[in-house]
Amino acid sequence: MSSSDHTSEPEFAIEIDGLSKVYAGSNKQEPKHALNDVSLKIKRGSFFALLGPNGAGKSTLINILAGLVNKTSGSAKIWGYDTETEMRPARRAIGVVPQELSTDPFFTPRELFELQAGMFGIPASERRTTEILEAVGLGEKADAYTRSLSGGMRRRLLVGKAMVHRPPILVLDEPSAGVDVDLRRQLWDHVQHMNDGGTTVLLTTHYLEEAEALCDEIAIINHGRIIACEPTDVMLQRLDAKDMSLTLSLPITATPAALKAYDPVLDNPTRLTLSFKPSTTPARKVLADVEDAGLEVRDFSTKDADLEDIFIRLTHGDDDARI
């Protein structure tokens, strides 16, 4: 498809089909399969999370999309443009915030944004340097050398650089690493605002609670393979697990045998945690069984399985584990 064929916004912001990357071996080491037949479709306007342990292939995938790494096989399209045959428009459609805090210490944020805009061929009259500086909270540091900025400010500087050419797709590779709580909240408020305005966001993060709260769809990658990809709410329902924490009126030294089916954990003599499947066992039955076992409950709370539970189950199980 030539660039002249792109007359409307595509259904999918990013399309990846059978993408593989093999790094050649050296010093008698075997070749490394960083990506193995990865296929993904990220809808236009979505807030999409790509999660996985270190070395799973996340950064390799992002670097292929950004044009920094050559794929071994398969294809990738950004905003409908093939990353190899339509490289220039594909790169204009994406802004990447890298994981590493790499900035030139002898430039100011304003100069860096202007330089970035020039590299993308944006005329001076169409640049939004001051607007972006304010948006990422660097208005007061616009003319300070970047070497004087804190780690959190440098992170925001990289976000601003990725936004200079107004890409419809923003890729955030561990953007909140090393950022304090207040700056992280500001960062997410701004990214959420961009997403609400139509920008497609692809996020990798080790803060799973962020992905659960922000993203409408989540893919999990492990050993270079996609092992799960679903809307966030669907994925959270898949585990079908719930914990009930009980505060007992009287201390106990051992869990009654009648509660063995609930995988009991006695945290202390008056605190007992039981696990159950809410799809087949209502909470009231658990409480009834506790009462039948002779225990008196003073208080209780329940906790649904969260994304961290699913992530650990998938990435620490069999290599081919899937949901």
Side-chain angles (χ1 to χ4, degrees), residues 255-303:
T255 306
L259 300 178
K260 184 179 180 181
Y262 295 115
D263 296 325
V265 175
L266 191 60
D267 302 307
N268 62 54
T270 59
R271 188 167 183 83
L272 177 66
T273 300
L274 305 177
S275 300
F276 62 100
K277 293 184 176 182
S279 66
T280 57
T281 307
R284 63 179 179 274
K285 182 181 187 309
V286 180
L287 289 171
D289 288 346
V290 170
E291 185 177 342
D292 290 344
L295 302 181
E296 184 178 333
V297 177
R298 181 159 55 88
D299 195 9
F300 75 94
S301 62
T302 60
K303 175 183 175 292

mmCIF file of all heavy atoms in Angstrom, residues 255-303:
data_model
loop_
_atom_site.group_PDB
_atom_site.id
_atom_site.type_symbol
_atom_site.label_atom_id
_atom_site.label_comp_id
_atom_site.label_asym_id
_atom_site.label_seq_id
_atom_site.Cartn_x
_atom_site.Cartn_y
_atom_site.Cartn_z
ATOM 1 N N THR A 255 -5.695 -24.543 61.503
ATOM 2 C CA THR A 255 -6.901 -24.375 60.705
ATOM 3 C C THR A 255 -7.730 -25.648 60.740
ATOM 4 O O THR A 255 -7.185 -26.749 60.559
ATOM 5 C CB THR A 255 -6.542 -24.046 59.246
ATOM 6 O OG1 THR A 255 -5.682 -22.920 59.213
ATOM 7 C CG2 THR A 255 -7.796 -23.743 58.443
ATOM 8 N N PRO A 256 -9.038 -25.549 60.957
ATOM 9 C CA PRO A 256 -9.887 -26.748 60.951
ATOM 10 C C PRO A 256 -9.775 -27.514 59.631
ATOM 11 O O PRO A 256 -9.713 -26.908 58.548
ATOM 12 C CB PRO A 256 -11.296 -26.186 61.140
ATOM 13 C CG PRO A 256 -11.083 -24.880 61.853
ATOM 14 C CD PRO A 256 -9.799 -24.344 61.309
ATOM 15 N N ALA A 257 -9.749 -28.831 59.714
ATOM 16 C CA ALA A 257 -9.619 -29.677 58.519
ATOM 17 C C ALA A 257 -10.762 -29.446 57.544
ATOM 18 O O ALA A 257 -10.592 -29.611 56.325
ATOM 19 C CB ALA A 257 -9.563 -31.141 58.940
ATOM 20 N N ALA A 258 -11.941 -29.030 58.039
ATOM 21 C CA ALA A 258 -13.096 -28.822 57.172
ATOM 22 C C ALA A 258 -12.881 -27.687 56.177
ATOM 23 O O ALA A 258 -13.603 -27.579 55.178
ATOM 24 C CB ALA A 258 -14.330 -28.528 58.033
ATOM 25 N N LEU A 259 -11.877 -26.830 56.422
ATOM 26 C CA LEU A 259 -11.621 -25.689 55.528
ATOM 27 C C LEU A 259 -10.439 -25.935 54.592
ATOM 28 O O LEU A 259 -9.982 -25.029 53.897
ATOM 29 C CB LEU A 259 -11.357 -24.430 56.366
ATOM 30 C CG LEU A 259 -12.490 -23.984 57.295
ATOM 31 C CD1 LEU A 259 -12.069 -22.758 58.088
ATOM 32 C CD2 LEU A 259 -13.760 -23.703 56.492
ATOM 33 N N LYS A 260 -9.957 -27.164 54.546
ATOM 34 C CA LYS A 260 -8.774 -27.481 53.744
ATOM 35 C C LYS A 260 -8.967 -27.150 52.265
ATOM 36 O O LYS A 260 -8.032 -26.748 51.565
ATOM 37 C CB LYS A 260 -8.427 -28.964 53.917
ATOM 38 C CG LYS A 260 -7.152 -29.377 53.203
ATOM 39 C CD LYS A 260 -6.841 -30.861 53.443
ATOM 40 C CE LYS A 260 -5.560 -31.266 52.714
ATOM 41 N NZ LYS A 260 -5.245 -32.719 52.927
ATOM 42 N N ALA A 261 -10.199 -27.288 51.760
ATOM 43 C CA ALA A 261 -10.475 -27.039 50.337
ATOM 44 C C ALA A 261 -10.236 -25.577 49.938
ATOM 45 O O ALA A 261 -10.119 -25.267 48.751
ATOM 46 C CB ALA A 261 -11.910 -27.427 50.012
ATOM 47 N N TYR A 262 -10.161 -24.701 50.933
ATOM 48 C CA TYR A 262 -9.979 -23.276 50.650
ATOM 49 C C TYR A 262 -8.511 -22.835 50.721
ATOM 50 O O TYR A 262 -8.230 -21.633 50.780
ATOM 51 C CB TYR A 262 -10.808 -22.435 51.622
ATOM 52 C CG TYR A 262 -12.300 -22.629 51.465
ATOM 53 C CD1 TYR A 262 -13.057 -23.192 52.482
ATOM 54 C CD2 TYR A 262 -12.954 -22.248 50.293
ATOM 55 C CE1 TYR A 262 -14.430 -23.367 52.351
ATOM 56 C CE2 TYR A 262 -14.323 -22.419 50.147
ATOM 57 C CZ TYR A 262 -15.056 -22.978 51.171
ATOM 58 O OH TYR A 262 -16.414 -23.144 51.022
ATOM 59 N N ASP A 263 -7.583 -23.781 50.706
ATOM 60 C CA ASP A 263 -6.141 -23.473 50.794
ATOM 61 C C ASP A 263 -5.869 -22.453 51.893
ATOM 62 O O ASP A 263 -5.338 -21.356 51.649
ATOM 63 C CB ASP A 263 -5.624 -22.939 49.448
ATOM 64 C CG ASP A 263 -5.709 -23.972 48.345
ATOM 65 O OD1 ASP A 263 -5.520 -25.160 48.632
ATOM 66 O OD2 ASP A 263 -5.980 -23.583 47.189
ATOM 67 N N PRO A 264 -6.211 -22.755 53.123
ATOM 68 C CA PRO A 264 -6.118 -21.772 54.199
ATOM 69 C C PRO A 264 -4.687 -21.368 54.528
ATOM 70 O O PRO A 264 -3.763 -22.185 54.453
ATOM 71 C CB PRO A 264 -6.762 -22.504 55.387
ATOM 72 C CG PRO A 264 -6.563 -23.957 55.094
ATOM 73 C CD PRO A 264 -6.666 -24.069 53.596
ATOM 74 N N VAL A 265 -4.533 -20.095 54.892
ATOM 75 C CA VAL A 265 -3.248 -19.575 55.361
ATOM 76 C C VAL A 265 -3.517 -18.848 56.671
ATOM 77 O O VAL A 265 -4.274 -17.874 56.712
ATOM 78 C CB VAL A 265 -2.613 -18.612 54.343
ATOM 79 C CG1 VAL A 265 -1.335 -17.997 54.921
ATOM 80 C CG2 VAL A 265 -2.309 -19.329 53.033
ATOM 81 N N LEU A 266 -2.905 -19.323 57.749
ATOM 82 C CA LEU A 266 -3.084 -18.696 59.061
ATOM 83 C C LEU A 266 -1.986 -17.648 59.232
ATOM 84 O O LEU A 266 -0.841 -17.970 59.589
ATOM 85 C CB LEU A 266 -3.013 -19.758 60.159
ATOM 86 C CG LEU A 266 -3.438 -19.325 61.564
ATOM 87 C CD1 LEU A 266 -4.894 -18.847 61.566
ATOM 88 C CD2 LEU A 266 -3.237 -20.473 62.553
ATOM 89 N N ASP A 267 -2.323 -16.390 58.955
ATOM 90 C CA ASP A 267 -1.339 -15.310 59.014
ATOM 91 C C ASP A 267 -0.894 -15.040 60.454
ATOM 92 O O ASP A 267 0.269 -14.740 60.699
ATOM 93 C CB ASP A 267 -1.927 -14.032 58.407
ATOM 94 C CG ASP A 267 -2.378 -14.249 56.967
ATOM 95 O OD1 ASP A 267 -1.557 -14.724 56.174
ATOM 96 O OD2 ASP A 267 -3.546 -13.956 56.649
ATOM 97 N N ASN A 268 -1.811 -15.104 61.377
ATOM 98 C CA ASN A 268 -1.524 -15.009 62.812
ATOM 99 C C ASN A 268 -2.700 -15.679 63.529
ATOM 100 O O ASN A 268 -3.679 -16.079 62.867
ATOM 101 C CB ASN A 268 -1.296 -13.549 63.249
ATOM 102 C CG ASN A 268 -2.506 -12.657 63.028
ATOM 103 O OD1 ASN A 268 -3.604 -12.970 63.492
ATOM 104 N ND2 ASN A 268 -2.319 -11.553 62.307
ATOM 105 N N PRO A 269 -2.647 -15.850 64.839
ATOM 106 C CA PRO A 269 -3.704 -16.632 65.519
ATOM 107 C C PRO A 269 -5.132 -16.134 65.325
ATOM 108 O O PRO A 269 -6.083 -16.907 65.519
ATOM 109 C CB PRO A 269 -3.284 -16.535 67.000
ATOM 110 C CG PRO A 269 -1.800 -16.380 66.951
ATOM 111 C CD PRO A 269 -1.536 -15.522 65.745
ATOM 112 N N THR A 270 -5.284 -14.865 64.926
ATOM 113 C CA THR A 270 -6.656 -14.359 64.730
ATOM 114 C C THR A 270 -6.920 -13.917 63.292
ATOM 115 O O THR A 270 -7.935 -13.280 63.024
ATOM 116 C CB THR A 270 -6.948 -13.183 65.685
ATOM 117 O OG1 THR A 270 -5.991 -12.135 65.437
ATOM 118 C CG2 THR A 270 -6.888 -13.614 67.142
ATOM 119 N N ARG A 271 -6.008 -14.224 62.381
ATOM 120 C CA ARG A 271 -6.215 -13.806 60.979
ATOM 121 C C ARG A 271 -6.023 -14.994 60.051
ATOM 122 O O ARG A 271 -4.945 -15.590 59.989
ATOM 123 C CB ARG A 271 -5.284 -12.664 60.586
ATOM 124 C CG ARG A 271 -5.607 -12.082 59.220
ATOM 125 C CD ARG A 271 -4.872 -10.761 58.995
ATOM 126 N NE ARG A 271 -5.222 -10.163 57.727
ATOM 127 C CZ ARG A 271 -6.299 -9.420 57.517
ATOM 128 N NH1 ARG A 271 -7.152 -9.202 58.506
ATOM 129 N NH2 ARG A 271 -6.547 -8.891 56.336
ATOM 130 N N LEU A 272 -7.079 -15.316 59.316
ATOM 131 C CA LEU A 272 -7.091 -16.481 58.435
ATOM 132 C C LEU A 272 -7.486 -16.042 57.025
ATOM 133 O O LEU A 272 -8.441 -15.287 56.847
ATOM 134 C CB LEU A 272 -8.091 -17.519 58.966
ATOM 135 C CG LEU A 272 -8.301 -18.792 58.149
ATOM 136 C CD1 LEU A 272 -7.026 -19.629 58.132
ATOM 137 C CD2 LEU A 272 -9.463 -19.602 58.735
ATOM 138 N N THR A 273 -6.729 -16.506 56.021
ATOM 139 C CA THR A 273 -7.032 -16.179 54.626
ATOM 140 C C THR A 273 -7.448 -17.449 53.885
ATOM 141 O O THR A 273 -6.742 -18.460 53.932
ATOM 142 C CB THR A 273 -5.822 -15.535 53.920
ATOM 143 O OG1 THR A 273 -5.471 -14.328 54.606
ATOM 144 C CG2 THR A 273 -6.151 -15.206 52.474
ATOM 145 N N LEU A 274 -8.584 -17.365 53.204
ATOM 146 C CA LEU A 274 -9.106 -18.487 52.422
ATOM 147 C C LEU A 274 -9.218 -18.076 50.962
ATOM 148 O O LEU A 274 -9.538 -16.922 50.655
ATOM 149 C CB LEU A 274 -10.486 -18.907 52.947
ATOM 150 C CG LEU A 274 -10.587 -19.243 54.432
ATOM 151 C CD1 LEU A 274 -12.031 -19.564 54.798
ATOM 152 C CD2 LEU A 274 -9.664 -20.407 54.790
ATOM 153 N N SER A 275 -8.976 -19.019 50.050
ATOM 154 C CA SER A 275 -9.072 -18.758 48.616
ATOM 155 C C SER A 275 -10.198 -19.591 48.018
ATOM 156 O O SER A 275 -10.375 -20.761 48.392
ATOM 157 C CB SER A 275 -7.747 -19.094 47.916
ATOM 158 O OG SER A 275 -6.690 -18.320 48.442
ATOM 159 N N PHE A 276 -10.933 -18.995 47.066
ATOM 160 C CA PHE A 276 -12.039 -19.727 46.452
ATOM 161 C C PHE A 276 -12.322 -19.183 45.052
ATOM 162 O O PHE A 276 -11.832 -18.111 44.675
ATOM 163 C CB PHE A 276 -13.303 -19.648 47.320
ATOM 164 C CG PHE A 276 -13.842 -18.253 47.513
ATOM 165 C CD1 PHE A 276 -14.910 -17.784 46.763
ATOM 166 C CD2 PHE A 276 -13.276 -17.400 48.456
ATOM 167 C CE1 PHE A 276 -15.420 -16.506 46.945
ATOM 168 C CE2 PHE A 276 -13.772 -16.110 48.645
ATOM 169 C CZ PHE A 276 -14.840 -15.666 47.890
ATOM 170 N N LYS A 277 -13.102 -19.947 44.282
ATOM 171 C CA LYS A 277 -13.487 -19.530 42.936
ATOM 172 C C LYS A 277 -14.893 -18.939 42.986
ATOM 173 O O LYS A 277 -15.869 -19.670 43.209
ATOM 174 C CB LYS A 277 -13.447 -20.722 41.968
ATOM 175 C CG LYS A 277 -12.052 -21.266 41.716
ATOM 176 C CD LYS A 277 -12.077 -22.369 40.669
ATOM 177 C CE LYS A 277 -10.676 -22.853 40.347
ATOM 178 N NZ LYS A 277 -10.687 -23.893 39.290
ATOM 179 N N PRO A 278 -15.017 -17.635 42.769
ATOM 180 C CA PRO A 278 -16.336 -17.006 42.894
ATOM 181 C C PRO A 278 -17.350 -17.504 41.872
ATOM 182 O O PRO A 278 -18.556 -17.390 42.095
ATOM 183 C CB PRO A 278 -16.041 -15.514 42.712
ATOM 184 C CG PRO A 278 -14.720 -15.455 42.019
ATOM 185 C CD PRO A 278 -13.966 -16.654 42.465
ATOM 186 N N SER A 279 -16.888 -18.079 40.746
ATOM 187 C CA SER A 279 -17.834 -18.562 39.724
ATOM 188 C C SER A 279 -18.617 -19.778 40.203
ATOM 189 O O SER A 279 -19.723 -20.034 39.734
ATOM 190 C CB SER A 279 -17.084 -18.898 38.431
ATOM 191 O OG SER A 279 -16.206 -19.998 38.639
ATOM 192 N N THR A 280 -18.031 -20.537 41.141
ATOM 193 C CA THR A 280 -18.689 -21.753 41.612
ATOM 194 C C THR A 280 -19.011 -21.721 43.102
ATOM 195 O O THR A 280 -19.840 -22.504 43.567
ATOM 196 C CB THR A 280 -17.804 -22.984 41.335
ATOM 197 O OG1 THR A 280 -16.522 -22.796 41.961
ATOM 198 C CG2 THR A 280 -17.596 -23.180 39.841
ATOM 199 N N THR A 281 -18.353 -20.821 43.838
ATOM 200 C CA THR A 281 -18.538 -20.774 45.284
ATOM 201 C C THR A 281 -18.850 -19.350 45.727
ATOM 202 O O THR A 281 -17.967 -18.488 45.721
ATOM 203 C CB THR A 281 -17.275 -21.269 46.022
ATOM 204 O OG1 THR A 281 -16.900 -22.550 45.527
ATOM 205 C CG2 THR A 281 -17.523 -21.344 47.524
ATOM 206 N N PRO A 282 -20.081 -19.066 46.103
ATOM 207 C CA PRO A 282 -20.401 -17.720 46.587
ATOM 208 C C PRO A 282 -19.752 -17.451 47.944
ATOM 209 O O PRO A 282 -19.496 -18.383 48.716
ATOM 210 C CB PRO A 282 -21.926 -17.715 46.683
ATOM 211 C CG PRO A 282 -22.311 -19.153 46.797
ATOM 212 C CD PRO A 282 -21.270 -19.939 46.066
ATOM 213 N N ALA A 283 -19.500 -16.191 48.232
ATOM 214 C CA ALA A 283 -18.839 -15.818 49.481
ATOM 215 C C ALA A 283 -19.644 -16.269 50.697
ATOM 216 O O ALA A 283 -19.071 -16.654 51.731
ATOM 217 C CB ALA A 283 -18.618 -14.306 49.516
ATOM 218 N N ARG A 284 -20.968 -16.257 50.579
ATOM 219 C CA ARG A 284 -21.787 -16.644 51.723
ATOM 220 C C ARG A 284 -21.577 -18.111 52.095
ATOM 221 O O ARG A 284 -21.696 -18.496 53.269
ATOM 222 C CB ARG A 284 -23.262 -16.356 51.454
ATOM 223 C CG ARG A 284 -23.878 -17.133 50.311
ATOM 224 C CD ARG A 284 -25.364 -16.786 50.146
ATOM 225 N NE ARG A 284 -25.968 -17.505 49.044
ATOM 226 C CZ ARG A 284 -25.947 -17.088 47.781
ATOM 227 N NH1 ARG A 284 -25.357 -15.944 47.473
ATOM 228 N NH2 ARG A 284 -26.530 -17.807 46.829
ATOM 229 N N LYS A 285 -21.264 -18.973 51.085
ATOM 230 C CA LYS A 285 -20.987 -20.378 51.386
ATOM 231 C C LYS A 285 -19.678 -20.514 52.153
ATOM 232 O O LYS A 285 -19.561 -21.327 53.080
ATOM 233 C CB LYS A 285 -20.926 -21.213 50.104
ATOM 234 C CG LYS A 285 -20.689 -22.704 50.394
ATOM 235 C CD LYS A 285 -20.608 -23.539 49.146
ATOM 236 C CE LYS A 285 -20.535 -25.041 49.468
ATOM 237 N NZ LYS A 285 -19.479 -25.359 50.462
ATOM 238 N N VAL A 286 -18.691 -19.703 51.767
ATOM 239 C CA VAL A 286 -17.407 -19.738 52.477
ATOM 240 C C VAL A 286 -17.633 -19.365 53.944
ATOM 241 O O VAL A 286 -17.136 -20.040 54.856
ATOM 242 C CB VAL A 286 -16.397 -18.769 51.828
ATOM 243 C CG1 VAL A 286 -15.064 -18.820 52.578
ATOM 244 C CG2 VAL A 286 -16.183 -19.125 50.357
ATOM 245 N N LEU A 287 -18.401 -18.308 54.172
ATOM 246 C CA LEU A 287 -18.673 -17.872 55.542
ATOM 247 C C LEU A 287 -19.459 -18.928 56.316
ATOM 248 O O LEU A 287 -19.214 -19.161 57.505
ATOM 249 C CB LEU A 287 -19.434 -16.542 55.519
ATOM 250 C CG LEU A 287 -18.632 -15.320 55.075
ATOM 251 C CD1 LEU A 287 -19.548 -14.116 54.880
ATOM 252 C CD2 LEU A 287 -17.535 -14.996 56.081
ATOM 253 N N ALA A 288 -20.396 -19.571 55.635
ATOM 254 C CA ALA A 288 -21.180 -20.627 56.287
ATOM 255 C C ALA A 288 -20.284 -21.795 56.678
ATOM 256 O O ALA A 288 -20.418 -22.366 57.775
ATOM 257 C CB ALA A 288 -22.297 -21.096 55.355
ATOM 258 N N ASP A 289 -19.347 -22.161 55.798
ATOM 259 C CA ASP A 289 -18.432 -23.265 56.106
ATOM 260 C C ASP A 289 -17.519 -22.901 57.275
ATOM 261 O O ASP A 289 -17.163 -23.762 58.090
ATOM 262 C CB ASP A 289 -17.592 -23.608 54.866
ATOM 263 C CG ASP A 289 -18.413 -24.302 53.782
ATOM 264 O OD1 ASP A 289 -19.542 -24.744 54.088
ATOM 265 O OD2 ASP A 289 -17.932 -24.376 52.633
ATOM 266 N N VAL A 290 -17.119 -21.630 57.340
ATOM 267 C CA VAL A 290 -16.280 -21.174 58.453
ATOM 268 C C VAL A 290 -17.049 -21.304 59.767
ATOM 269 O O VAL A 290 -16.520 -21.781 60.780
ATOM 270 C CB VAL A 290 -15.832 -19.717 58.231
ATOM 271 C CG1 VAL A 290 -15.174 -19.150 59.488
ATOM 272 C CG2 VAL A 290 -14.868 -19.636 57.048
ATOM 273 N N GLU A 291 -18.310 -20.895 59.737
ATOM 274 C CA GLU A 291 -19.149 -20.982 60.937
ATOM 275 C C GLU A 291 -19.372 -22.438 61.338
ATOM 276 O O GLU A 291 -19.299 -22.800 62.530
ATOM 277 C CB GLU A 291 -20.488 -20.288 60.694
ATOM 278 C CG GLU A 291 -21.376 -20.215 61.929
ATOM 279 C CD GLU A 291 -22.670 -19.451 61.670
ATOM 280 O OE1 GLU A 291 -22.729 -18.701 60.659
ATOM 281 O OE2 GLU A 291 -23.614 -19.627 62.470
ATOM 282 N N ASP A 292 -19.613 -23.307 60.327
ATOM 283 C CA ASP A 292 -19.818 -24.730 60.600
ATOM 284 C C ASP A 292 -18.558 -25.370 61.194
ATOM 285 O O ASP A 292 -18.648 -26.368 61.928
ATOM 286 C CB ASP A 292 -20.210 -25.478 59.325
ATOM 287 C CG ASP A 292 -21.621 -25.110 58.853
ATOM 288 O OD1 ASP A 292 -22.384 -24.537 59.662
ATOM 289 O OD2 ASP A 292 -21.928 -25.382 57.675
ATOM 290 N N ALA A 293 -17.395 -24.778 60.876
ATOM 291 C CA ALA A 293 -16.127 -25.323 61.396
ATOM 292 C C ALA A 293 -15.872 -24.867 62.830
ATOM 293 O O ALA A 293 -14.851 -25.220 63.425
ATOM 294 C CB ALA A 293 -14.970 -24.892 60.492
ATOM 295 N N GLY A 294 -16.793 -24.054 63.377
ATOM 296 C CA GLY A 294 -16.684 -23.654 64.768
ATOM 297 C C GLY A 294 -15.918 -22.371 65.003
ATOM 298 O O GLY A 294 -15.554 -22.060 66.146
ATOM 299 N N LEU A 295 -15.677 -21.608 63.946
ATOM 300 C CA LEU A 295 -14.943 -20.353 64.090
ATOM 301 C C LEU A 295 -15.919 -19.178 64.114
ATOM 302 O O LEU A 295 -16.881 -19.144 63.344
ATOM 303 C CB LEU A 295 -13.949 -20.166 62.944
ATOM 304 C CG LEU A 295 -12.893 -21.264 62.764
ATOM 305 C CD1 LEU A 295 -11.967 -20.910 61.602
ATOM 306 C CD2 LEU A 295 -12.102 -21.476 64.043
ATOM 307 N N GLU A 296 -15.651 -18.206 64.984
ATOM 308 C CA GLU A 296 -16.475 -17.011 65.066
ATOM 309 C C GLU A 296 -15.739 -15.856 64.398
ATOM 310 O O GLU A 296 -14.594 -15.545 64.759
ATOM 311 C CB GLU A 296 -16.779 -16.666 66.522
ATOM 312 C CG GLU A 296 -17.732 -15.480 66.672
ATOM 313 C CD GLU A 296 -18.059 -15.181 68.127
ATOM 314 O OE1 GLU A 296 -17.996 -16.112 68.952
ATOM 315 O OE2 GLU A 296 -18.371 -14.005 68.432
ATOM 316 N N VAL A 297 -16.387 -15.237 63.400
ATOM 317 C CA VAL A 297 -15.753 -14.177 62.610
ATOM 318 C C VAL A 297 -16.147 -12.807 63.154
ATOM 319 O O VAL A 297 -17.326 -12.499 63.302
ATOM 320 C CB VAL A 297 -16.164 -14.288 61.120
ATOM 321 C CG1 VAL A 297 -15.571 -13.143 60.316
ATOM 322 C CG2 VAL A 297 -15.715 -15.631 60.547
ATOM 323 N N ARG A 298 -15.136 -11.997 63.471
ATOM 324 C CA ARG A 298 -15.391 -10.638 63.936
ATOM 325 C C ARG A 298 -15.468 -9.664 62.766
ATOM 326 O O ARG A 298 -16.231 -8.707 62.770
ATOM 327 C CB ARG A 298 -14.289 -10.199 64.910
ATOM 328 C CG ARG A 298 -14.461 -8.799 65.487
ATOM 329 C CD ARG A 298 -13.659 -8.642 66.776
ATOM 330 N NE ARG A 298 -12.254 -8.977 66.594
ATOM 331 C CZ ARG A 298 -11.331 -8.093 66.202
ATOM 332 N NH1 ARG A 298 -11.672 -6.840 65.948
ATOM 333 N NH2 ARG A 298 -10.078 -8.455 66.071
ATOM 334 N N ASP A 299 -14.677 -9.913 61.710
ATOM 335 C CA ASP A 299 -14.674 -9.040 60.534
ATOM 336 C C ASP A 299 -14.088 -9.826 59.361
ATOM 337 O O ASP A 299 -13.383 -10.827 59.564
ATOM 338 C CB ASP A 299 -13.839 -7.784 60.799
ATOM 339 C CG ASP A 299 -14.099 -6.678 59.771
ATOM 340 O OD1 ASP A 299 -15.051 -6.833 58.969
ATOM 341 O OD2 ASP A 299 -13.363 -5.681 59.772
ATOM 342 N N PHE A 300 -14.401 -9.389 58.138
ATOM 343 C CA PHE A 300 -13.798 -10.053 56.968
ATOM 344 C C PHE A 300 -13.746 -9.078 55.793
ATOM 345 O O PHE A 300 -14.457 -8.070 55.746
ATOM 346 C CB PHE A 300 -14.594 -11.307 56.575
ATOM 347 C CG PHE A 300 -15.890 -11.038 55.872
ATOM 348 C CD1 PHE A 300 -15.956 -11.018 54.480
ATOM 349 C CD2 PHE A 300 -17.055 -10.787 56.592
ATOM 350 C CE1 PHE A 300 -17.157 -10.764 53.825
ATOM 351 C CE2 PHE A 300 -18.250 -10.532 55.947
ATOM 352 C CZ PHE A 300 -18.307 -10.516 54.559
ATOM 353 N N SER A 301 -12.864 -9.388 54.837
ATOM 354 C CA SER A 301 -12.767 -8.611 53.598
ATOM 355 C C SER A 301 -12.406 -9.567 52.473
ATOM 356 O O SER A 301 -11.851 -10.647 52.716
ATOM 357 C CB SER A 301 -11.707 -7.508 53.711
ATOM 358 O OG SER A 301 -10.420 -8.059 53.929
ATOM 359 N N THR A 302 -12.755 -9.189 51.245
ATOM 360 C CA THR A 302 -12.421 -10.026 50.094
ATOM 361 C C THR A 302 -11.564 -9.242 49.103
ATOM 362 O O THR A 302 -11.625 -8.009 49.040
ATOM 363 C CB THR A 302 -13.689 -10.520 49.369
ATOM 364 O OG1 THR A 302 -14.440 -9.390 48.919
ATOM 365 C CG2 THR A 302 -14.538 -11.383 50.289
ATOM 366 N N LYS A 303 -10.766 -9.962 48.351
ATOM 367 C CA LYS A 303 -9.893 -9.337 47.357
ATOM 368 C C LYS A 303 -9.938 -10.166 46.081
ATOM 369 O O LYS A 303 -9.647 -11.364 46.091
ATOM 370 C CB LYS A 303 -8.456 -9.250 47.874
ATOM 371 C CG LYS A 303 -7.446 -8.722 46.852
ATOM 372 C CD LYS A 303 -6.043 -8.742 47.434
ATOM 373 C CE LYS A 303 -4.998 -8.333 46.400
ATOM 374 N NZ LYS A 303 -4.860 -9.331 45.312
#
